[in-house]
Amino acid sequence: MEEETKHVEENTTKRTSRLKKRALAAGFLTAAFFVLTTFLAWKTVEHHRRVILQSSGHITATAIAEQVKGIVDNNLAVLESFADNWQSGPPEDEREYLSVATPLQSRFPALQAINWITPNYIILYVAPIKGNVPAMGADLKRHPVAGPVLDIALDQRRTQITPTIELIQGGRGFAAYSPVLDRDGEIIGVVNAAFRIRSMLASVINTEQADGYTVRVSEGDSVLFEIRGEGDDESLQQSVTFDVVGRQWQIDVIADPEVAARIIDPDLILIFGAFTTVLFTIVVFLLSNRQKAALRRAVHHINAGDDINDLLLTITKLDGHLKSMSPETAEFFDLREEDYGFIRFYNLAPEFQSDGTASRRSQEKMLLGMNRGDEEIRREWIVRSAEGVHVVCDLSMKPSSNYPDCVDITLHHNPAANASVSRLRYLATHDPLTGLPNHALFDDRLNQAVAHAKRYEKLLSVLVVDIDNFRAVNDRFGADVGDEVLRTISGRLRATVREKDTCARFSGDMFAIIATDLSEAEGAALVAERVVEAMSQPIPTTTGDEIRLHVSVGVALYPNDARAPSQLMANADAAMYRAQKSAESSYCFFVETMNNVMHARLSMETQLRRAVDEKRFVLEYQPRYRASDRSLTGFEALLRWIDDSGNRRLPPDFIAVADRTGLLSPLGHWIIETVCKQLAGWRQQGYVPVPIALNVSSRQFIQADLIKNIVDLTTEYQVDPTMIEIEVSEDIAMRDPERALGQFYRFSEAGIGLTLDHFAAGNTSLRYLKRFPVQRIKLSQSLFSVALDEQPENSVLQPAIRLCKSLNRKVVAVGVETEEQMALLQSAECDEMQGFLLSPPLDAVDTAELLIQQTPSQPSPKVTSENDTAG
């Protein structure tokens, strides 16, 4: 019986096996048929789609090429038009040149610099001056790039451009040279402009216009501009070459796949074909195999590493770029597949490993061993998670089983080692005495800072600080006191830099600083000043002695002085040695011209700070008179600075520096208080006071505390607020007229008089002129100075005065210096006049004689001010 049952089961098994074979054969044939049909349909649709995409890419490339050529030609036309301004002769001085060049730059963002070159190839003027000072006086005759292009431009007498270069202002661009010809056709100079290509092309090529296309503009192997869209198939790339002033530029366009969306997507064909194939194969298999399949329990095996927490990844043998990784590893590092080609294995680790070696160098040694034929490399390795946590792992590196020229890496978590890794890493990267970063960590951070500055086009500074003759401290006080002094120095250096900057100790008496994200070179100079000032303070010791040190600081700027981190460091070191030999300053810039500019600015700033603290300022008062009878109507307060040499300096010499450094606020408070004291003093002496006018800068005008200061001080000294008048120039008021209008009304509500200065010097809107609650309008001196040389019927002086009077405003002329000007203003019915012809500025004592002549019956109108005032 058992044998019969066994025989039946064997027969059943054979029938089942034959049934399955027939079913599998039928399913295979069905699958093959549908796969072939799907492939032919996909091939047809894909070919049609590629034709559409290539045609679209060519049309787009042609259109963009025309736009690029147009914008370049327009910018060059601006340069040639600028050159035509000087047909009557070269600029007389730098101020004349800047007055024409500076407005031009504000209107054309791509224009980074516009310089004047003499016919003998010397750069005479630069605009803007900021960032271009090193170029002044440069001889371009032997310059490897500029020299040949200048030769061609002068020989052919037409505009020429250089190949694309790295601009000193940052970014890639090109320089254009346009000869300037006088009216006789003789060359009197060359106008040179630097154009940043990204700024230029961004106005005609952007993501909206490209609409998903990948667009690349290049010259030879140099990529000038690129927008990456949805198109990434290099086989669809369409290129158009065009001429830009004799140079060949190329536009490469890869079409967006959405362009062919109206055609059936080939991927949909594949998806539909796969679905149909699977469906019909299963149906045919089931119909062919009618026998019920016995229930079987499926056993699933999971292939994994030794530990479910292992991190698995593959990198290239050549340079360690990521090739692939497990999903768990990608989640641990928060990476996507598109990131692999840009990230190397050492980028997933901190700067240094627990043994103090740099992660990058450790990776290079391991890959070198694998390239030499090592079967496996094991070592301890630290990685950095997406959250920034450092994790110590046991690393195993073997040749890859899936990719040639790659290695597989397994990182096994090692909890025991994590307890000491932080301490070991700290000791490897920091100076044990001062706690500052050491030379190795400084180099790594400098590389990162330079990469960041290059990517975001920022200014970066490296400062090398040396303590002069520090050995004498150790010799006199001993090593313990020397260590104490070094710790004090390190603390002071930390306090002089921002949190994001780096301060490191290189050796016994040498330190270094990285100052990042600077807006201008003055920022580096201020850091150097703070370092020198901090080090100049005496250092108390535990022995009761005081130690005074002298430091030498060298400063180098990226990208002005160097672009490579090592060269930047070498230049800062060279500048430090020059500072040691200098008897005039404790710090030096690498470029000597920058030294002169920075020292001059900071010297004035230092003097101004000292002058504000010591109140080394005086006020003079210039009278203003009624035009009809020359009676006194008021004064204007004029600020004078007594500098260290005892000379009187006028506001144009120092107001801009005071405004930039924040000194104008305390100085303005002193001016208001001095004027209030003067008004109160006149009243106590029995004189009839008249209003005094004060100028304000653009920054002071919008400050909320200016009105409060005036009200508080006039209340304190019991002075009527109407005795103080604020003068605002037309230029300040028209920068933001709505905001200025609100501020004018706040002054008016406080009872403070208002004057609009420099009327007709700029672009005043009549709509706002009617709304500004000013009592007086001061005429621009150009109105009545030019009018002397014009025919009476061509003068605009009388219409301007009539316009102001029609708005019920007093008209004031300031800067009256000749009898002819006075007669012209009187004939035009100007209300009031002020100038050296009537009276120069007077000190507080001399004003008493004028006030004696003021009778109680005389009105006391409000006062205006002049150009060189500040308050």
Side-chain angles (χ1 to χ4, degrees), residues 119-154:
N120 58 348
Y121 294 56
I122 302 298
I123 297 179
L124 186 59
Y125 304 126
V126 296
I129 295 178
K130 177 183 170 183
N132 294 304
V133 172
M136 294 179 64
D139 187 354
L140 301 181
K141 183 67 175 177
R142 298 182 180 178
H143 193 280
V145 177
V149 177
L150 262 170
D151 290 337
I152 297 173
L154 294 176

Side-chain angles (χ1 to χ4, degrees), residues 418-430:
N418 277 312
S420 59
V421 65
S422 297
R423 179 59 183 168
L424 291 174
R425 184 171 176 270
Y426 179 85
L427 293 175
T429 58
H430 289 75

Side-chain angles (χ1 to χ4, degrees), residues 129 208 247 273 326 390 407 419 556 559 628 636 689-690 702 708 733 773:
I129 295 178
E208 293 182 0
R247 309 209 65 84
S326 66
H390 293 166
V407 294
S628 59
E636 175 184 5
V690 292
I702 62 175
K708 182 178 182 301

Side-chain angles (χ1 to χ4, degrees), residues 363-534:
Q363 172 195 289
E364 292 172 353
K365 289 182 179 179
M366 289 189 294
L367 291 179
L368 182 61
M370 298 304 296
N371 285 312
R372 288 175 177 173
D374 291 353
E375 292 296 326
E376 183 179 11
I377 293 177
R378 290 182 175 273
R379 64 159 292 169
E380 183 183 86
W381 188 261
I382 304 174
V383 294
R384 182 179 56 243
S385 70
E387 292 79 18
V389 178
H390 293 166
V391 179
V392 179
C393 302
D394 290 327
L395 177 146
S396 172
M397 181 181 289
K398 299 179 181 180
S400 176
S401 57
N402 298 322
Y403 300 99
D405 297 325
C406 293
V407 294
D408 292 333
I409 296 176
T410 301
L411 296 168
H412 180 70
H413 184 212
N414 183 1
N418 277 312
S420 59
V421 65
S422 297
R423 179 59 183 168
L424 291 174
R425 184 171 176 270
Y426 179 85
L427 293 175
T429 58
H430 289 75
D431 174 51
L433 176 63
T434 63
L436 294 176
N438 60 17
H439 204 317
L441 181 55
F442 181 88
D443 288 344
D444 186 78
R445 290 188 179 176
L446 180 58
N447 287 328
Q448 294 182 23
V450 168
H452 176 83
K454 181 178 181 180
R455 180 176 182 181
Y456 295 101
E457 298 182 353
K458 295 287 188 179
L459 189 66
L460 167 72
S461 175
V462 172
L463 298 89
V464 174
V465 182
D466 184 75
I467 312 299
D468 297 338
N469 200 22
F470 181 75
R471 182 178 297 178
V473 176
N474 283 331
D475 293 343
R476 179 178 177 184
F477 298 100
D480 291 340
V481 174
D483 291 346
E484 180 185 346
V485 171
L486 287 174
R487 284 190 287 267
T488 302
I489 290 172
S490 65
R492 291 185 180 182
L493 287 177
R494 280 197 194 99
T496 62
V497 300
R498 300 164 297 179
E499 185 176 353
K500 64 181 178 180
D501 296 335
T502 297
C503 178
R505 182 189 180 200
F506 277 13
S507 61
D509 57 358
M510 184 173 290
F511 299 81
I513 296 171
I514 304 172
T516 59
D517 293 339
L518 300 177
S519 58
E520 52 187 357
E522 286 89 335
L526 291 175
V527 175
E529 282 283 319
R530 288 199 298 268
V531 169
V532 173
E533 183 178 357

Side-chain angles (χ1 to χ4, degrees), residues 666-725:
L667 187 55
H669 186 276
W670 176 84
I671 292 173
I672 297 170
E673 183 176 19
T674 303
V675 167
C676 289
K677 286 181 180 178
Q678 186 64 68
L679 290 169
W682 287 339
R683 186 185 64 245
Q684 292 173 0
Q685 295 171 23
Y687 304 131
V688 177
V690 292
I692 299 178
L694 307 174
N695 271 302
V696 294
S697 68
S698 58
R699 188 179 312 217
Q700 286 178 299
F701 178 59
I702 62 175
Q703 286 177 345
D705 61 347
L706 177 61
I707 299 176
K708 182 178 182 301
N709 284 341
I710 295 176
V711 173
D712 290 347
L713 288 170
T714 52
T715 302
E716 179 182 350
Y717 290 96
Q718 299 180 356
V719 173
D720 188 348
T722 59
M723 290 291 100
I724 293 181
E725 186 174 71

Side-chain angles (χ1 to χ4, degrees), residues 178-193:
S178 182
V180 181
L181 307 179
D182 63 12
R183 303 189 188 281
D184 297 328
E186 296 297 326
I187 296 176
I188 60 175
V190 179
V191 175
N192 157 231

